[in-house]
Amino acid sequence: MEIRYNPEEIELKWQKYWEKNKTFKAEKDTNKKKYYLLEMFPYPSGKIHIGHIRNYAIGDVIARYKRMLGYNVMHPMGWDAFGMPAENAAIENNTHPTAWTYSNIEAMRNQLKRAGFSYDWSRELATCSPEYYKWEQALFLKMYEAGMAYRKESYVNWCEKCQTVLANEQVESGACWRCKEPVMRKKLNQWFFSITDYAQELLDYCDKLSGWPQKVTLMQKNWIGKSIGATIKFPLEHNIKEADNYIEVFTTRQDTVFGATFMCLAPEHPLVEKLAKGTSQEKAINKFIEKTVKSNRTDKDIEKQEKEGVFTGQYAINPFTQKKMPIYTANFALMEYGTGAVMSVPAHDQRDFEFAKKYNLEIVVVIEPENKKLDPLTITEAYIGEGILVNSGKFNGSKNKEAMEAIADQLKENGTGDKKINFRLRDWGISRQRYWGAPIPIIYCKKCGIVPVPEKDLPILLPEDIKMEKQGGSPLEKADSFKKITCPACKSEDARRETDTMDTFVESSWYFERYCSPHYKDGIIEKKENDYWMPVDQYIGGVEHAVLHLLYARYFTRVLNKFGFVDHKEPFANLLTQGMVCKETHKCAKCGFLFPEQVKGESQNKKCAICGGEVETGRIEKMSKSKKNVIEPSELISEYGADTTRLFCLFAAPPERDLEWSKTGVEGGFRFINRVFRIVNKNLKRIALAASYADASDKLAGEAKKLYKKTHVTIARVTNDIENRFHFNTAISAVMELVNALYLIDDNASAKKDPNFAGVLKFAIETAILLLAPIVPHVCEELWQILGHKNGVTYAKWPKYLKEALAKDEVQIVAQVNGKIRSKFLSETDIEDEKLKEIALADERVLKFINNKPIKKVIVVKNKLVNIVV
């Protein structure tokens, strides 16, 4: 009786088996080589999307493959559960973030289990759990004691409606990513982590991350942004009350200092308002500051903006030329870079040139190309090339690059500056004015000042009896039961808690360490477990996390290392950044973007199912809820099964490339799994009593030898594709070729008579199942059991190939011209006729006898001869 493929029945059966037998539970075993496989954990939105499925399927193949190789594999899953989206969703749904988050976690956990991923659920963690963030608070206290966590006043991106700080990446075209209201710059007291202490080390180690994509380490290098240059002090013409009597800049172009004709300060620079105070420019300056702080201030946006500024009414003195330099505040000067002050050299910087032209400021040329004079009155753009110094005092005639060292030495000698290394990287501001985050364990006392919470009082719990309000802001600020506290130092009752919570990037910067001992109650990390499992052998996630998450994780690992919690400095040995899942969009003029199920009809005649209007098919782009070009994995799994869904995600494109959604691709995957199922059914009786052939290939002949060699070639291809490249698409393609070979040989009469054939056939079928097991695990478990194996396929041994079986059989081919032997050569057995013709026609001796005559026809006798008729 034929056993039919029923994906739902099979998948639920084996998922129940895995859970009951704790198949994927990982325990420390020093006798085994460990393999720690981790995908970036998800935010619990409540629904798994197809991008999740792809990401996790990639990781699951690697985890299952490594288990079959005998590794002790840890493959955990958890939840990046804090953050503004949960808080906003709770407000919208009139519920509490805790209830909303844990309800979503349960839903997503069930979805992941239904997809058949081989997670060790015993290690599951959620960052919103007090058992997790208690240790984060403890680490904060250690960092505070060591001077690595500090509080200062700084400008931040502020959303007035949400009443919270936003990271730069949460500001989109000058608006809040959540509420779309304009974002402004605001000065607040914030807590910072001193990541800049590790800037050089983080940069140096980028070159040691050999298992990371080069594009990611390059992005990190650029973000850290090391610059070698000099600091220069420009004295103020008139001293300003309560301010230094100079403006200090950092520049990488000290060779152009003689051409600096004006200064530009960031609008947030503390000196700007002081310079303008009491002058006729005060009102204009204040208006400009107010306007600028409301604009988007990221590097990319500033590049696009028109360069604007306002004169402060004050002057600085160029320490080399002694000329007065008007001081402006300008929208392109950033506090985040250098000192927030720029010496402007319009002849040799295009941005400064445009600004000088706009405001009619002096332009002085100090570098000229060899044998060419530059007139500042006629040049139409800044000269940014190398050349010879002019108008530069004693440095005239020197090559500008060669003079940089000497000018830096002159700065130091004059007491007006010095050589300096600067980093673009800034300390990490972790304060967030929201409820749903880890409370910062600090108390403010009028008498004692800043007082750290005693470690014995941790965790500082989020109060449950709070009301989430739509107007934004943190309810902690209004919750006296949380905010009011007795000072632990002086026992004053007039103390208050810090009501800011930590940036959610803090939680994701060490969760991979906690997975090693998620239930450990005596500290942040159980050292022996951590020493065994860390670092992560393979980390997988989107390239959009290349900078912030991955850089913060590298920093936090160094913090843990400093305090002796871990011995390693780098958390991830290897990194894979997968591409996006893409699909075309559909849009109706009346209804806007449409979900796939809201589109009726085919090709050029698509109609909106809502209003009946015409539908425009847009370009293929990343799946997103906003554009509704999304596919629900639950619907795919319901119709085709988890194995088919996984197969499509793995076969459609290599992991690092974008995957284009295709319904026909899903259907093709479903048909292939059915073919594999039928292969087993058709041959079950034939191979039932046979032993899987495992001898040398030279003892075989005919179809048996051909199939045996094909199977070993397939093992080699699949092993290489998974082990060395993670190219699952070509690995799957190789198994498909083997399955095709099994179909072609299935009813071959001569094969049936070969006494070794049944054993070879069994070997080939079992090999196909083993090679597919990491990719489509449920159906392979089922087929493995059908073939009589009592233990599951999860821990079956990965097949090994015989090198001698990979050697191609060769035959001698006779090359004839008009029936006469003119040459002989060796060729692979059963080579295609066209390929054999090409080889013969390229043979020098054959070409000699053709003698450029027209070829009438070419006759091929397989594995024997090629006859060329001229």
Side-chain angles (χ1 to χ4, degrees), residues 608-628:
C608 174
I610 302 169
C611 70
E614 289 190 7
V615 171
E616 177 188 351
T617 300
R619 62 190 179 90
I620 293 168
E621 52 187 301
K622 178 187 176 183
M623 285 188 179
S624 69
K625 290 178 184 178
S626 62
K627 296 190 176 177
K628 299 185 177 179

Side-chain angles (χ1 to χ4, degrees), residues 665-681:
V666 176
E667 291 168 345
F670 186 69
R671 287 195 300 271
F672 171 67
I673 293 174
N674 273 280
R675 290 192 83 202
V676 176
F677 212 87
R678 287 197 299 272
I679 280 286
V680 175
N681 269 314

Side-chain angles (χ1 to χ4, degrees), residues 267-284:
E268 305 94 332
H269 197 292
L271 197 56
V272 172
E273 291 184 54
K274 293 177 182 177
L275 288 170
K277 191 173 182 180
T279 72
S280 60
Q281 292 296 100
E282 185 174 8
K283 191 173 180 181

Side-chain angles (χ1 to χ4, degrees), residues 202-203 205-224 543 546-547 550-551 554 575 577:
L202 288 166
L203 183 65
Y205 271 70
C206 281
D207 293 326
K208 299 180 182 180
L209 298 173
S210 58
W212 286 38
Q214 190 175 8
K215 66 179 179 181
V216 175
T217 54
L218 182 60
M219 288 168 75
Q220 293 216 352
K221 286 180 179 180
N222 291 338
W223 188 265
I224 295 167
V543 74
V547 175
L550 289 170
L551 190 64
R554 295 180 62 215
L575 174 69
T577 53

Side-chain angles (χ1 to χ4, degrees), residues 586-600:
H586 292 105
K587 195 174 186 181
C588 166
K590 182 179 178 182
C591 304
F593 286 109
L594 302 172
F595 288 110
E597 62 270 19
Q598 294 172 329
V599 180
K600 304 298 180 185

Side-chain angles (χ1 to χ4, degrees), residues 688-792:
L689 300 176
S692 184
Y693 188 85
D695 210 338
S697 60
D698 58 9
K699 294 183 180 179
L700 300 171
E703 295 295 336
K705 185 173 184 179
K706 184 178 177 182
L707 179 59
Y708 190 66
K709 291 174 76 69
K710 177 68 176 176
T711 304
H712 279 284
V713 167
T714 305
I715 296 170
R717 284 179 60 188
V718 174
T719 303
N720 180 61
D721 284 341
I722 295 178
E723 182 70 38
N724 299 323
R725 305 190 302 158
F726 295 156
H727 278 202
F728 310 119
N729 57 324
T730 53
I732 294 165
S733 180
V735 182
M736 286 179 170
E737 289 179 23
L738 177 60
V739 171
N740 288 340
L742 287 166
Y743 260 89
L744 292 172
I745 210 167
D746 187 45
D747 295 314
N748 187 290
S750 62
K752 290 179 180 179
K753 297 176 184 178
D754 189 330
N756 288 315
F757 187 75
V760 171
L761 183 60
K762 186 171 188 176
F763 170 68
I765 290 173
E766 288 186 339
T767 296
I769 293 168
L770 290 170
L771 296 177
L772 286 171
I775 297 161
V776 285
H778 306 88
V779 70
C780 290
E781 289 275 23
E782 185 72 10
L783 293 175
W784 197 245
Q785 187 181 70
I786 288 170
L787 287 172
H789 297 279
K790 292 182 179 179
N791 296 320

